Amino acid sequence: MKRNALSNVHSDKLFEQVYDYLLERITRGEWRAHEKLPSIRTLAIELNVHRLTVFKAYQMLKQNRKVYVKEKSGYYVLPNNMLPLDSQHDPIVSAYVQESSLSEIHQVKAVYQFSIALLDPHLLPNQFFSEYVKRVFDLYPKVLGTYSTIQGDRELREALCHYFTKRYHFYLSADELLITSGSQEAIDLIARVLIKPRDAVLLERPTYSPAIDVFRRQGANIIPIEIHPHGYDLDRVEMLMQQYKPRLFYLNPTFHNPTGFVVPAEQRKRLVEIAHKYKCVLVEDDPCPDIYFEEKPPLPLFSYDTAGYVIYIRSFSKYIAPGLSIAMIACHPSFMSYLIRAKSLSDSGTPLLNQKIFLHYFFCERMQKHLAKLRIALAIRRDIMEQELSVTDWKWSSPTGGFNLWIRLPESTPMESLLSKSIEQSITFVPGSIFDPQREFKSWIRMSYSFLNEQQLREGLKRLVHLSRTLHPEGNPSGD
Amino acid sequence: MKRNALSNVHSDKLFEQVYDYLLERITRGEWRAHEKLPSIRTLAIELNVHRLTVFKAYQMLKQNRKVYVKEKSGYYVLPNNMLPLDSQHDPIVSAYVQESSLSEIHQVKAVYQFSIALLDPHLLPNQFFSEYVKRVFDLYPKVLGTYSTIQGDRELREALCHYFTKRYHFYLSADELLITSGSQEAIDLIARVLIKPRDAVLLERPTYSPAIDVFRRQGANIIPIEIHPHGYDLDRVEMLMQQYKPRLFYLNPTFHNPTGFVVPAEQRKRLVEIAHKYKCVLVEDDPCPDIYFEEKPPLPLFSYDTAGYVIYIRSFSKYIAPGLSIAMIACHPSFMSYLIRAKSLSDSGTPLLNQKIFLHYFFCERMQKHLAKLRIALAIRRDIMEQELSVTDWKWSSPTGGFNLWIRLPESTPMESLLSKSIEQSITFVPGSIFDPQREFKSWIRMSYSFLNEQQLREGLKRLVHLSRTLHPEGNPSGD
């Protein structure tokens, strides 16, 4: 046992070293799940550092869900953070263990799947779609024998540029676009290129939960920022940017998932300015700008960006064709080359077939007409949900677009047993805590109106409301 | 500036700390590209560690292409390892910069693309394919409206299990298979789950170059092992496994890319035993077992594995349908759950359409008959290459399957100017150094016979041979 002394290390580095040192020991399994960690005092003496440095490291470990706190006792190892190195069941060791509770809930088979924020396949023009695909094969007889370039089919990228010019009046070249296999790949590539361990990342609270998992896997230090019906507290955003110097802010300002909120235009403009000032990249995820029920949503943040600080993810899976998995990233050319390299290692290009089908399907007149009908169909489904819920004391802001209601149940609702009993009755919803980097929002749930038909919506909601009443009799809120 | 002392750190940890400390300073750009790093002696004093510890850290930095050595001078920063934090051209900072020279060469447009190890699209039954796809849409009218599960379409996984039982007599359940979007995704997922910085990884030398990039990106310490016409030196493999305790060995034992070599059956069996003994996972990449010209290749290593130490990647893109990008991973169930989690963050499932088309296309009788014709067509193309090359003093082992010739040119050939002059004449090939983790094999090139037709092969080779002679006149080898 030899003592080493890395000199020239200032105190930020020191805190990071203590953090890494603890993280490595936890990951290596030196302490077991739920085992108590050394006290701050003990560690400070052992490592010859200030107690505040150890405290700071423990705080970040807690934030990153590596440890948990027991009041008046100390820090304990949170399970699922260890390498299963010694596990007898596991001949192969794993370095990274992630959570992805959303995909687990999606695997539950149920009649009333309020958990799925996807379009009911019956709302897609399937017959027309099949006819169309056959034409695509006539147009490109060798499409299955050909790889796409890694950046994506040029014909598709040019069509997308044309579409953005026409729709948003912003001008892009095909070189500023990358086609990805869905928005999940887009988020993953951006995170892999931009984020390294301990980088600060701003996330909305609540937010799209797989994004939490991706940034956490990259080792990011996650800083939450609340989203409200009318956007963010921008002074707080600025303060957080100043304080933490986040590498990026991942956000979903248009028909936000799960809340349905829309960040207003004037906030968008100011946010882009603030981001530029603090050199924080804005990663704007935009999966459903076409699904508006009243007026068109404001322009994307990307359209306000002149300095290259906005990376724009536009996906089409949710309401065009989940089976195709087509999304795109638009960004400053300086960043594009890094993304292309990352993609070349990740899947060597989105399949050409999917790109060609999407190209001819999305931009045809019939699809654009179909979108108008789709908006009406979804608005009706939202209305049905709201009607059914109007008899309860549940609270929500009526969404003006998108697929979801973000609902607050009475605080006394026993959420875990509501979910498990719902699943028994073939009803699923997503508990709010899944969307929260801090795993709070315990009284909230997300219910999607996009996947079920009108009759299913009514019937499923009646059952759920009834169930919640049996668990939490009216006029007698438990816990009071 | 405060001194810290992380006690309880044994000497392996110490070396890793010094490595991390230097790597972080390099990545953060504290030294510029080509700037000289502190001497071993200086660092040893500064950090209060043994000189050998610093030496070992520098050696690994060199191996991982972070620094280079100038004889009798010292260690220097290799470019492209720094964050472009201060770059004026680059408003967005990037954490990871990778190399992927192979994809760059593939972007060169040329008439004689010997660089592409893909099937000539004319050799695919395109007309039949289009007809078939139309039938798939009739069978699954809602295929574009439906997401696949993350693990992949169950019908396809069951069909694959049936195929493996019939062909290889090994028994799999659908739960042991994961469908991926091509083999690149498969390698990437496995690397992300298994490899963390400083893990040792065995790679063949030469090997498939994007695999080098993927493992290097994960921060692996790459240990090369030579592959010969008759396989590996297994005693050396065992010695390396004993010495370095590699987490995995990535290998391509059947019609190896780029050499075409086939590892014999008796070596396969012993290799699986050795891997089990040293708890080293064998990642077996098998992109073209159907493309044999003489007898069928030996069974995959996976079929010898009883302890769950082989992960089997089988891809179909190269000779079935590049435009579909379908591959699969077969592995022990204990490892599968980690892969599924990783895939859920990486692309939320391979598109269902591609899986359904592949399912009906690959397993139909007509496709299997087509494969017999394909083998003959490719054997003829190989023969043409070998005829044309027989007039030169270039050396190669005649491949019994696959897509490539791995050719040794005279040592005096000025390879860089041969490549650049070839590209000027619309001829591409892949320089051998790209396939080598150590960037040697400077006299070798890979030439594929799969993509060009017979006339192009003859004409392109005549031109290339002529060109090499003008650069290196016969009977007058330069440099002697």
Side-chain angles (χ1 to χ4, degrees):
Chain A
M1 300 296 166
K2 186 171 160 58
R3 287 174 83 83
N4 87 325
L6 297 173
S7 53
N8 291 328
V9 170
H10 60 70
S11 68
D12 250 20
K13 282 270 163 58
L14 201 57
F15 145 65
E16 290 178 356
Q17 281 195 342
V18 174
Y19 175 85
D20 287 350
Y21 171 75
L22 289 168
L23 184 58
E24 167 129 3
R25 287 182 67 181
I26 292 169
T27 313
R28 290 268 174 211
E30 288 189 32
W31 297 290
R32 287 155 194 252
H34 304 296
E35 192 173 329
K36 193 177 172 184
L37 292 160
S39 72
I40 290 176
R41 184 196 159 91
T42 312
L43 264 179
I45 294 168
E46 183 183 323
L47 303 177
N48 189 23
V49 295
H50 198 280
R51 284 187 206 180
L52 275 178
T53 308
V54 179
F55 175 73
K56 204 172 150 196
Y58 267 140
Q59 286 306 103
M60 199 196 275
L61 286 167
K62 185 186 147 205
Q63 209 165 5
N64 293 334
R65 298 178 56 75
K66 305 297 174 190
V67 308
Y68 64 94
V69 181
K70 277 192 199 169
E71 288 292 334
K72 294 185 190 160
S73 167
Y75 294 89
Y76 291 79
V77 176
L78 198 67
N80 283 343
N81 281 306
M82 285 92 64
L83 290 175
L85 262 171
D86 307 316
S87 164
Q88 293 190 330
H89 308 289
D90 217 342
I92 293 171
V93 290
S94 165
Y96 300 108
V97 177
Q98 289 118 19
E99 293 181 41
S100 46
S101 328
L102 190 59
S103 66
E104 276 157 32
I105 286 180
H106 285 168
Q107 281 165 33
V108 176
K109 295 276 172 231
V111 177
Y112 306 102
Q113 284 188 292
F114 292 98
S115 54
I116 296 192
L118 275 181
L119 208 60
D120 176 0
H122 292 93
L123 291 181
L124 286 168
N126 294 295
Q127 183 55 39
F128 160 67
F129 210 164
S130 298
E131 295 302 320
Y132 224 93
V133 169
K134 293 171 190 175
R135 263 199 273 165
V136 166
F137 273 89
D138 295 336
L139 274 171
Y140 311 95
K142 287 181 197 132
V143 63
L144 286 177
T146 318
Y147 266 119
S148 165
T149 61
I150 289 168
Q151 189 165 5
D153 181 51
R154 180 163 281 273
E155 194 187 9
L156 173 56
R157 284 184 286 129
E158 281 170 358
L160 284 165
C161 290
H162 183 72
Y163 165 80
F164 282 117
T165 306
K166 224 174 104 185
R167 170 149 181 192
Y168 297 121
H169 303 288
F170 60 70
Y171 296 86
L172 277 172
S173 84
D175 294 335
E176 292 165 282
L177 290 189
L178 173 73
I179 307 298
T180 65
S181 304
S183 65
Q184 188 67 35
E185 188 188 55
I187 299 169
D188 186 45
L189 290 175
I190 292 166
R192 288 165 79 167
V193 169
L194 276 178
I195 303 303
K196 51 183 184 29
R198 294 188 307 265
D199 280 345
V201 164
L202 270 175
L203 291 187
E204 290 158 335
R205 179 165 182 263
T207 188
Y208 176 62
S209 76
I212 307 175
D213 297 336
V214 165
F215 290 113
R216 198 163 263 150
R217 182 207 59 210
Q218 289 298 108
N221 180 21
I222 290 170
I223 319 286
I225 177 84
E226 320 291 318
I227 181 165
H228 304 291
H230 301 292
Y232 318 105
D233 174 347
L234 285 183
D235 292 338
R236 190 166 159 75
V237 171
E238 179 155 12
M239 194 202 75
L240 292 173
M241 286 189 182
Q242 195 170 23
Q243 183 180 350
Y244 291 101
K245 299 183 181 49
R247 185 69 72 99
L248 65 82
F249 178 8
Y250 167 82
L251 70 173
N252 173 205
T254 306
F255 309 129
H256 174 262
N257 182 1
T259 65
F261 301 157
V262 179
V263 174
E266 60 280 11
Q267 281 214 349
R268 295 178 184 227
K269 195 158 179 291
R270 213 187 121 208
L271 185 55
V272 170
E273 289 162 5
I274 298 173
H276 187 183
K277 183 171 168 193
Y278 295 98
K279 297 190 190 304
C280 173
V281 176
L282 298 173
V283 178
E284 179 181 23
D285 196 350
D286 199 9
C288 56
D290 285 327
I291 309 301
Y292 51 89
F293 306 143
E294 292 158 23
E295 54 194 17
K296 279 193 186 181
L299 293 178
L301 276 75
F302 186 68
S303 65
Y304 296 103
D305 178 40
T306 51
Y309 276 90
V310 181
I311 299 178
Y312 181 60
I313 303 173
R314 177 81 154 81
S315 61
F316 303 92
S317 289
K318 287 203 170 195
Y319 63 97
I320 300 294
L324 286 181
S325 281
I326 292 289
M328 50 146 270
I329 300 173
C331 65
H332 194 276
S334 65
F335 186 58
M336 183 54 79
S337 56
Y338 297 112
L339 283 178
I340 293 173
R341 283 179 187 205
K343 184 160 165 80
S344 78
L345 298 187
S346 153
D347 72 1
S348 53
T350 295
L352 186 61
L353 173 66
N354 304 243
Q355 298 185 59
K356 290 296 193 191
I357 294 176
F358 175 76
L359 165 67
H360 288 274
Y361 180 59
F362 181 63
F363 295 109
C364 74
E365 208 182 324
R366 168 120 185 218
M367 184 67 206
Q368 295 301 319
K369 277 186 195 158
H370 176 77
L371 286 177
K373 287 187 213 162
L374 191 59
R375 283 188 278 269
I376 295 167
L378 286 171
I380 291 171
R381 291 180 186 211
R382 174 205 59 182
D383 293 345
I384 288 171
M385 289 274 281
E386 297 191 330
Q387 266 170 33
E388 289 296 325
L389 293 178
S390 64
V391 301
T392 66
D393 54 354
W394 302 4
K395 307 240 181 316
W396 70 95
S397 297
S398 185
T400 58
F403 304 113
N404 308 304
L405 287 185
W406 176 242
I407 304 167
R408 179 169 207 162
L409 274 57
E411 268 188 37
S412 51
T413 310
M415 197 56 84
E416 276 180 36
S417 65
L418 180 61
L419 181 59
S420 62
K421 292 215 184 292
S422 296
I423 291 172
E424 280 169 24
Q425 296 199 18
S426 213
I427 302 166
T428 58
F429 59 82
V430 188
S433 61
I434 283 184
F435 301 99
D436 182 6
Q438 298 172 333
R439 301 281 166 186
E440 294 172 6
F441 284 112
K442 303 256 188 234
S443 306
W444 296 79
I445 63 176
R446 186 191 78 178
M447 298 195 79
S448 304
Y449 44 80
S450 54
F451 194 69
L452 301 176
N453 65 33
E454 294 156 32
Q455 204 197 328
Q456 288 167 324
L457 287 175
R458 284 200 195 281
E459 185 59 30
L461 274 183
K462 280 194 208 311
R463 288 171 187 233
L464 180 65
V465 169
H466 177 74
L467 185 62
S468 78
R469 284 182 176 154
T470 62
L471 290 175
H472 164 211
E474 254 173 311
N476 178 25
S478 62
D480 281 352
Chain B
M1 301 294 170
K2 187 171 158 66
R3 288 173 83 84
N4 87 327
L6 296 172
S7 53
N8 291 327
V9 171
H10 59 69
S11 68
D12 251 19
K13 281 269 164 61
L14 201 56
F15 144 66
E16 290 178 358
Q17 281 195 341
V18 174
Y19 175 85
D20 287 349
Y21 172 74
L22 289 168
L23 183 59
E24 166 127 4
R25 289 182 67 181
I26 292 169
T27 312
R28 290 270 174 209
E30 289 190 31
W31 299 290
R32 285 155 196 253
H34 304 297
E35 192 173 328
K36 194 178 171 181
L37 292 161
S39 72
I40 289 176
R41 184 196 160 92
T42 312
L43 264 179
I45 294 168
E46 184 183 323
L47 303 177
N48 188 22
V49 295
H50 198 279
R51 284 189 206 179
L52 275 177
T53 308
V54 180
F55 175 73
K56 203 172 149 196
Y58 268 140
Q59 287 306 104
M60 199 196 274
L61 287 167
K62 185 185 146 204
Q63 209 166 4
N64 293 335
R65 299 177 58 73
K66 305 296 173 191
V67 307
Y68 63 95
V69 180
K70 277 192 199 168
E71 287 293 334
K72 293 184 192 162
S73 167
Y75 295 89
Y76 290 79
V77 176
L78 198 67
N80 283 342
N81 281 307
M82 285 91 63
L83 291 175
L85 262 170
D86 306 317
S87 163
Q88 293 191 329
H89 307 290
D90 217 342
I92 294 173
V93 291
S94 165
Y96 300 108
V97 178
Q98 289 117 20
E99 294 181 42
S100 47
S101 326
L102 190 60
S103 65
E104 277 157 31
I105 286 180
H106 285 167
Q107 280 165 33
V108 176
K109 295 277 170 228
V111 177
Y112 306 103
Q113 284 187 293
F114 291 98
S115 54
I116 296 192
L118 275 180
L119 208 60
D120 176 0
H122 293 93
L123 291 181
L124 285 169
N126 294 295
Q127 182 57 38
F128 160 67
F129 209 164
S130 298
E131 295 302 321
Y132 224 92
V133 169
K134 293 172 191 175
R135 261 199 274 165
V136 166
F137 273 88
D138 295 337
L139 275 170
Y140 310 96
K142 288 182 196 131
V143 63
L144 287 178
T146 319
Y147 266 119
S148 164
T149 61
I150 289 168
Q151 187 164 7
D153 181 51
R154 179 163 281 273
E155 193 187 10
L156 172 57
R157 284 184 286 130
E158 280 170 358
L160 284 165
C161 291
H162 183 71
Y163 164 81
F164 282 117
T165 305
K166 224 175 105 185
R167 171 150 182 193
Y168 297 120
H169 304 287
F170 61 69
Y171 297 85
L172 277 171
S173 84
D175 293 336
E176 293 166 282
L177 290 189
L178 174 73
I179 307 298
T180 65
S181 304
S183 64
Q184 188 67 36
E185 188 188 55
I187 299 169
D188 187 44
L189 290 175
I190 293 166
R192 288 165 80 167
V193 169
L194 276 178
I195 303 302
K196 50 182 182 31
R198 294 188 307 263
D199 280 344
V201 163
L202 270 175
L203 291 187
E204 290 159 335
R205 179 166 182 261
T207 188
Y208 176 63
S209 75
I212 307 175
D213 297 335
V214 166
F215 291 113
R216 197 162 265 150
R217 181 207 62 208
Q218 289 298 107
N221 181 20
I222 289 170
I223 319 285
I225 177 83
E226 321 290 319
I227 181 164
H228 304 290
H230 301 292
Y232 318 105
D233 174 348
L234 286 183
D235 292 337
R236 189 165 160 74
V237 171
E238 179 155 11
M239 194 201 73
L240 292 173
M241 285 190 181
Q242 196 168 22
Q243 185 180 348
Y244 292 101
K245 299 182 181 47
R247 185 69 73 99
L248 64 83
F249 178 9
Y250 168 82
L251 70 172
N252 173 205
T254 305
F255 310 128
H256 174 261
N257 181 3
T259 65
F261 301 157
V262 179
V263 174
E266 60 279 9
Q267 280 214 350
R268 294 177 184 228
K269 195 158 179 292
R270 214 187 120 208
L271 185 55
V272 171
E273 289 162 5
I274 297 173
H276 188 184
K277 183 171 168 192
Y278 294 98
K279 297 192 191 304
C280 172
V281 175
L282 299 174
V283 178
E284 178 180 25
D285 196 351
D286 198 9
C288 55
D290 285 327
I291 309 300
Y292 51 89
F293 305 143
E294 293 158 20
E295 55 196 17
K296 279 193 187 181
L299 292 178
L301 275 76
F302 186 69
S303 65
Y304 295 104
D305 178 40
T306 52
Y309 276 91
V310 181
I311 299 178
Y312 181 60
I313 303 173
R314 178 82 153 80
S315 61
F316 303 92
S317 289
K318 286 204 171 195
Y319 64 98
I320 301 294
L324 286 180
S325 280
I326 292 289
M328 49 147 271
I329 299 174
C331 66
H332 193 276
S334 65
F335 186 58
M336 184 54 79
S337 57
Y338 297 111
L339 283 177
I340 292 172
R341 282 179 187 205
K343 185 160 165 79
S344 78
L345 298 187
S346 152
D347 71 1
S348 53
T350 296
L352 187 60
L353 173 66
N354 305 243
Q355 298 186 57
K356 290 296 194 192
I357 294 177
F358 175 77
L359 165 67
H360 288 274
Y361 179 59
F362 181 63
F363 294 110
C364 74
E365 207 183 325
R366 169 118 186 220
M367 184 67 208
Q368 295 301 319
K369 275 186 195 158
H370 176 76
L371 286 178
K373 288 188 212 161
L374 190 59
R375 285 189 277 269
I376 295 166
L378 286 172
I380 291 170
R381 292 179 185 212
R382 175 203 60 182
D383 293 345
I384 288 171
M385 291 274 280
E386 297 191 329
Q387 267 170 33
E388 288 297 324
L389 292 178
S390 64
V391 301
T392 65
D393 53 355
W394 300 4
K395 307 240 181 315
W396 70 94
S397 297
S398 185
T400 58
F403 303 112
N404 308 304
L405 287 185
W406 176 242
I407 305 168
R408 179 169 208 163
L409 274 59
E411 268 187 38
S412 51
T413 310
M415 197 55 83
E416 276 180 36
S417 64
L418 179 62
L419 181 60
S420 62
K421 289 209 185 296
S422 297
I423 291 172
E424 280 170 24
Q425 297 201 15
S426 211
I427 302 167
T428 58
F429 58 83
V430 187
S433 61
I434 284 184
F435 302 99
D436 182 7
Q438 298 172 332
R439 299 283 167 186
E440 294 172 8
F441 284 114
K442 302 258 188 231
S443 306
W444 297 79
I445 64 176
R446 187 191 78 177
M447 298 195 79
S448 303
Y449 43 82
S450 54
F451 194 69
L452 301 176
N453 66 32
E454 293 157 32
Q455 203 196 330
Q456 288 167 324
L457 287 175
R458 283 200 197 281
E459 186 58 31
L461 274 183
K462 279 194 207 315
R463 286 170 186 234
L464 179 66
V465 169
H466 177 75
L467 185 61
S468 78
R469 281 181 178 153
T470 62
L471 290 175
H472 164 211
E474 254 176 313
N476 178 23
S478 63
D480 282 352

